[in-house]
């Protein structure tokens, strides 16, 4: 049996969990074992119901009131108890914030190794995995030796398979059988939990959802000069993102940083202005469909990942683009 | 407040990564070394908390002797004491690393000082295992939480926040002693001053010999991911390129109306 930890929000399985399930389903077919899921908290039943056609035979639903707020250790304890009851060969979760945290607790509890941000698995003896290092700038092929293999799956590394539908494979298309699971939780398991939430202020376009991102790096030169990028962003309905040099100089908040230690963006177009294209920056923009680089240096590393480039001073190029958009659109 | 911060020495790779001929490591011959930005923020936070609440700050690393450089970097911005768990430079997996850090914490605490707070990076820059802090916390029986971008200490408790998508926050309250894995953005680290650097140079580093044990995944080789490389089309030079850019934006369908 393969046990998959499925996260959900608004009664639907999360995207990263669906990616993980696509890999789990393929693994299940390869090793000839069923995939079972575990889901936590309010809305788990509804979310489990949405797993039809994703190759999940049984969904263990933990709808304990004490788990209304996210409690990483309590999740891990529940998973460890399910492991004792169901003896899975593999336990996996998405490499999301929560998935990574909970699986690290499972690893710590069981004293089993945990392979983080796996992109591919070759089951068998030895059990081989490929995982990301340096946030995906490098891949590592490794052997995982443990009674139960613990994995997190790298975000955006596995495509989501279409769910199986009717006729052809009735069992694959079926919804999982729901089984309530009541873990035995102690005070200690519930010691760390979300005490309260601070709600977002929903102003502006979020960087992670934006169709166009205008990025600024050291080449922008000063906090004031970002007004040039903001003007272009406003004309394009784009979000402004930045490099680490910009946040560590205090020009812009870290919440706008793109890269290994910032956000991952996936726009249709990323316009990178005055950004050299260091690998730690570029891993955050890997999912961009197109990159347009504006840079004075035709040999900057960004040129090897960009699709289009304008060679020149961004303080001249960016305002000229804005002016041309105004002229063409009459805005 | 007594605080211990754990940092890991990693190569500062630039525009591209070059591997050694056997494909097992990054070719670091022409590279400098650093720690993860997450860990730089952990170091800065320890200094700030001690400035505000008093107490002591210690930085610890497990690595080869040259990792003393990263310990001195931390002392240059105000960490008082440094501990090196000296290795021969070989890879240590996260289980072995965590076990060695636990041994070191126990040994240091046996000398009388307890650490109210252990700070880790959310993930190491190179291996990105996302687990050493939690393994240490679990072994020591201390509460822990990851992904932290704001910390306040008051009355035997630490209030820690992490981002929850879309600009919202999740707030955790942990009893001390506690363990936090933090992210860049927690603060804006200061630059070391020249006197700070000179002071750090003269400070002693406490050395300990960690016990190795095998655990985590066994690396066979590293490789560079495929794809991503593209042929760039230069569409113009300077301001004169504006019409060509607008044409491109129109073609890509991003010049919304
Ligand atoms: C572990 C680790 C994690 C990291 N995480 C991140 C991360 O999450 N995000 C991130 O961005 N970085 C990250 N970095 C830092 C990264 O390595 C680079 O230092 C950083 O991305 C460089 O930022 P930059 O491109 O703005 O600056 P630079 O590298 O200094 O590049 C500036 C560019 O601007 C161009 N330029 C200058 N003036 C002009 C002008 N007037 N017009 C047009 N072009 C101009 C120059 O030709 C140059 O190409 C990380 C580093 C490490 C070690
Ligand atoms: N060799 C090491 N020495 C000291 N601290 C380490 C070491 N390796 C990892 N850590 C700490 O554990 C955090 C998480 O690492 P990891 O679980 O390997 O991603 C890092 O950000 C460091 O704070």
């Amino acid at each position: 049996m393969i046990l998959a930890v499925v996260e959900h929000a608004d009664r639907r399985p999360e995207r990263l969990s669906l990616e993980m399930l696509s890999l789990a389903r393929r693994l299940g077919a390869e090793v000839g074992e069923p995939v079972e899921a575990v889901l936590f908290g309010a809305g788990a039943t509804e979310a489990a119901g949405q797993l039809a056609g994703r190759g999940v035979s049984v969904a263990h639903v933990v709808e304990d009131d004490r788990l209304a707020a996210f409690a990483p250790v309590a999740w891990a304890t529940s998973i460890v108890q399910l492991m004792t009851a169901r003896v899975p060969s593999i336990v996996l979760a998405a490499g999301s914030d929560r998935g990574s945290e909970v699986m690290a607790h499972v690893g710590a509890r069981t004293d089993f190794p945990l392979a983080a941000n796996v992109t591919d698995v070759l089951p068998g003896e030895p059990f081989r995995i490929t995982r990301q290092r340096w946030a995906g700038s490098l891949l590592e092929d490794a052997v995982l030796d443990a009674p139960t293999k613990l994995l997190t799956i790298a975000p955006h590394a596995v495509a989501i398979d279409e769910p199986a539908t009717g006729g052809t494979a009735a069992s694959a298309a079926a919804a999982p059988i729901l089984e309530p699971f009541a873990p035995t939780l102690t005070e200690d398991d519930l010691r760390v939990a979300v005490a309260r939430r601070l709600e977002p202020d929903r102003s502006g376009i979020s960087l992670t959802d934006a169709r166009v991102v205008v990025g600024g790096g050291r080449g922008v030169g000063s906090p004031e000069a970002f007004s040039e990028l903001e003007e272009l962003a406003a004309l394009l309905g784009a979000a402004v993102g930045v490099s680490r040099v910009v946040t560590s100089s205090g020009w812009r908040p870290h919440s706008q940083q793109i890269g290994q230690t910032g956000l991952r963006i996936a726009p249709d177009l990323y316009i990178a202005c005055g950004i050299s294209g260091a690998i730690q920056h570029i891993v955050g923009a890997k999912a961009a469909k197109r990159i347009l680089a504006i840079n004075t240096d035709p040999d900057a590393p960004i040129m090897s990942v960009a699709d289009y480039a304008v060679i020149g001073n961004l303080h001249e190029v960016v305002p000229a683009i804005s002016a041309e958009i105004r002229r063409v659109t009459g805005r | 407040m007594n605080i211990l911060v754990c940092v890991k020495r990693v190569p500062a790779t630039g525009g591209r990564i070059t591997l050694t001929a056997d494909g097992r490591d990054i070719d670091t011959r022409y590279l400098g070394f650093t720690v993860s930005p997450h860990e730089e923020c952990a170091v800065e936070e320890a200094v700030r908390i001690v400035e505000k609440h008093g107490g002591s700050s210690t930085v610890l690393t497990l690595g080869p002797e040259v990792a003393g450089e990263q310990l001195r970097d931390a002392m240059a911005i105000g960490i008082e004491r440094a501990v090196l768990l000296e290795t021969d430079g070989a890879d240590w997996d996260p289980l072995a690393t965590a076990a060695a850090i636990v041994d070191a914490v126990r040994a240091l605490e046996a000398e009388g000082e307890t650490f109210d707070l252990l700070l880790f990076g959310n993930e190491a820059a190179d291996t990105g295992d996302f687990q050493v802090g939690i393994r240490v916390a679990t072994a020591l029986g201390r509460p822990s939480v990851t992904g932290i971008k704001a910390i306040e200490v008051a009355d035997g408790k630490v209030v820690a926040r992490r981002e929850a998508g879309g600009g919202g926050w999740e707030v955790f309250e942990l009893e001390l002693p506690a363990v936090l894995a933090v992210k860049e953005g927690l603060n804006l680290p200061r630059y070391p001053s020249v006197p700070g650097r000179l002071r750090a140079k003269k400070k002693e580093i406490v050395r300990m010999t960690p016990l190795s044990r095998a655990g985590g995944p066994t690396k066979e080789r590293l490789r560079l991911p495929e794809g991503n490389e593209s042929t760039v089309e230069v569409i113009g030079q300077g301001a004169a390129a504006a019409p060509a850019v607008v044409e491109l934006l129109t073609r890509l369908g991003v010049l919304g109306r």
Side-chain angles (χ1 to χ4, degrees):
Chain A
M1 193 272 277
I2 294 172
L3 183 63
V5 183
V6 173
E7 294 173 66
H8 57 93
D10 301 328
R11 302 189 193 78
R12 318 179 86 149
E14 296 263 23
R15 186 198 151 132
L16 299 185
S17 288
L18 293 179
E19 294 176 359
M20 176 273 294
L21 276 177
S22 297
L23 190 110
R25 184 176 170 185
R26 203 201 75 209
L27 264 178
E30 262 172 69
V31 299
E33 294 179 24
V35 176
E36 300 186 6
V38 56
L39 296 89
F40 293 89
T45 302
E46 291 92 329
Q50 308 234 341
L51 296 176
R54 303 209 177 266
V56 178
S57 58
V58 175
H60 303 275
V61 174
V62 189
E63 278 192 325
D64 192 305
D65 281 346
R66 293 170 298 177
L67 296 180
F70 175 60
V73 180
W75 281 36
T77 299
S78 310
I79 293 165
V80 172
Q81 289 173 7
L82 263 176
M83 286 167 68
T84 310
R86 306 284 304 134
V87 202
S89 59
I90 303 169
V91 181
L92 75 183
S96 58
D97 290 345
R98 287 186 175 184
S100 303
E101 179 169 43
V102 168
M103 290 303 287
H105 279 291
V106 173
R109 277 307 175 79
T110 55
D111 214 20
F112 293 165
L114 160 66
N117 289 312
V118 168
T119 58
D120 205 4
V121 180
L122 271 177
E125 259 324 306
F127 189 92
R128 290 207 149 80
I129 53 124
T130 299
R131 58 179 296 258
Q132 294 182 340
R133 285 185 166 219
W134 289 94
S137 312
L138 267 188
L139 295 174
E140 171 188 356
D141 294 326
V143 167
L144 187 57
D145 181 17
T148 307
K149 276 70 179 181
L150 305 181
L151 318 172
T152 64
I153 306 305
H156 310 305
V158 180
I160 299 177
D161 291 337
E162 286 302 311
T165 50
T168 47
S171 60
I177 297 163
L178 301 192
E179 285 192 1
F181 181 74
T184 311
L185 300 176
T186 64
E187 288 267 303
D188 258 3
D189 294 319
L190 295 157
R191 187 150 65 132
V192 177
V194 174
R196 57 187 177 276
R197 294 178 65 91
L198 305 179
E199 292 313 319
D201 60 342
R202 295 223 175 261
S203 58
I205 302 152
S206 108
L207 257 174
T208 43
D209 299 335
R211 275 195 70 209
V212 181
V213 172
V214 178
R218 189 200 301 271
V220 178
S222 69
E224 295 73 31
F226 269 91
S227 62
E228 297 166 4
L229 272 60
E230 273 167 358
E231 185 191 15
L232 177 60
L235 287 165
L236 292 171
V240 172
V242 301
S243 74
R244 178 161 182 252
V245 167
V246 170
T247 57
S248 52
S249 307
W251 296 352
R252 304 286 285 196
H254 182 266
S255 55
Q256 295 182 344
Q257 182 172 313
I258 295 165
Q260 178 169 348
T261 50
L263 294 170
R264 309 291 156 90
I265 58 167
D268 290 342
L269 178 66
Y270 178 41
I271 307 179
C273 312
I275 291 177
S276 63
I279 199 150
Q280 299 89 358
H281 181 81
I282 291 305
V283 285
K286 257 189 170 167
K289 289 211 185 85
R290 296 282 196 305
I291 298 178
L292 164 63
I294 301 177
N295 203 303
T296 42
D297 177 5
D299 297 323
I302 187 116
M303 297 303 166
S304 67
V305 292
D307 303 280
Y308 312 100
V310 174
I311 310 302
N313 181 346
L314 71 92
H315 301 298
E316 291 160 13
V317 178
V318 172
I321 298 171
S322 296
E324 181 68 6
I325 293 175
R326 284 222 168 73
R327 194 183 66 76
V328 170
T329 62
R331 271 181 276 178
Chain B
M1 284 292 293
N2 301 329
I3 308 182
L4 178 75
V5 192
C6 293
V7 301
K8 182 179 189 183
R9 172 181 168 92
V10 297
T13 57
R16 59 186 312 139
I17 294 179
T18 314
L19 298 178
T20 53
D22 64 0
R24 290 187 51 85
D25 287 293
I26 292 182
D27 181 355
T28 56
R29 276 173 306 170
Y30 308 107
L31 298 178
F33 285 81
T34 181
V35 302
S36 161
H38 297 324
E39 294 155 22
E40 284 177 14
C41 288
V43 166
E44 171 69 28
E45 195 71 11
V47 173
R48 286 190 195 184
I49 293 173
V50 170
E51 281 171 352
K52 190 159 164 201
H53 299 275
S56 73
S57 57
T58 307
V59 61
L60 175 148
T61 196
L62 176 135
E65 185 176 14
V66 280
E69 183 190 346
Q70 280 60 49
L71 297 175
R72 295 205 193 278
D73 286 348
M75 291 195 287
I77 73 155
I79 298 279
E80 293 153 21
R81 195 163 64 137
V83 179
L84 173 66
L85 310 184
E86 194 172 342
T87 70
D88 61 2
D91 289 340
W92 277 53
D93 66 60
L95 282 85
T97 304
I101 294 174
V102 168
D103 288 346
V105 168
R106 290 206 173 116
L108 293 166
E109 290 192 341
E111 286 163 19
E113 183 178 67
T114 26
F115 296 111
D116 303 291
L117 203 53
L118 304 186
L119 295 180
F120 290 82
N122 197 59
E123 79 274 2
D126 55 347
T127 52
D129 290 311
F130 290 77
Q131 57 189 269
V132 168
I134 288 175
R135 287 190 188 271
V136 170
T138 304
L140 293 172
R142 297 180 192 182
S144 64
V145 66
T146 60
I148 294 307
K149 280 183 107 172
I151 297 176
E152 265 169 61
V153 183
D155 314 326
K157 270 193 331 193
V158 56
V159 180
R161 279 195 288 160
R162 73 171 168 215
E163 279 177 320
W169 295 87
E170 287 179 340
V171 185
F172 293 85
E173 290 183 8
L174 276 61
E175 301 283 327
L176 296 176
V179 178
L180 301 177
V182 307
K183 281 193 178 176
E184 189 181 19
L186 174 66
N187 52 45
L188 204 53
R190 71 196 72 181
Y191 289 104
S193 63
V194 174
R197 285 221 171 272
L198 292 175
R199 233 177 300 126
K201 223 172 167 176
K202 290 196 212 108
K203 285 206 174 172
E204 202 163 327
I205 291 174
V206 179
R207 283 158 195 266
M208 295 169 127
T209 308
L211 280 179
S212 170
R213 56 169 272 204
T218 317
K219 175 174 76 179
E220 297 202 307
R221 65 171 185 143
L222 300 177
R223 59 198 161 85
L224 296 166
E226 296 158 16
N228 272 106
E229 298 283 294
S230 68
T231 350
V232 65
E233 180 191 335
V234 176
I235 59 174
Q237 311 273 340
V245 171
V246 173
E247 206 173 287
L248 173 71
L249 297 175
T250 312
R251 191 147 45 86
L252 296 177
V254 295
L255 198 57
R257 302 202 118 231

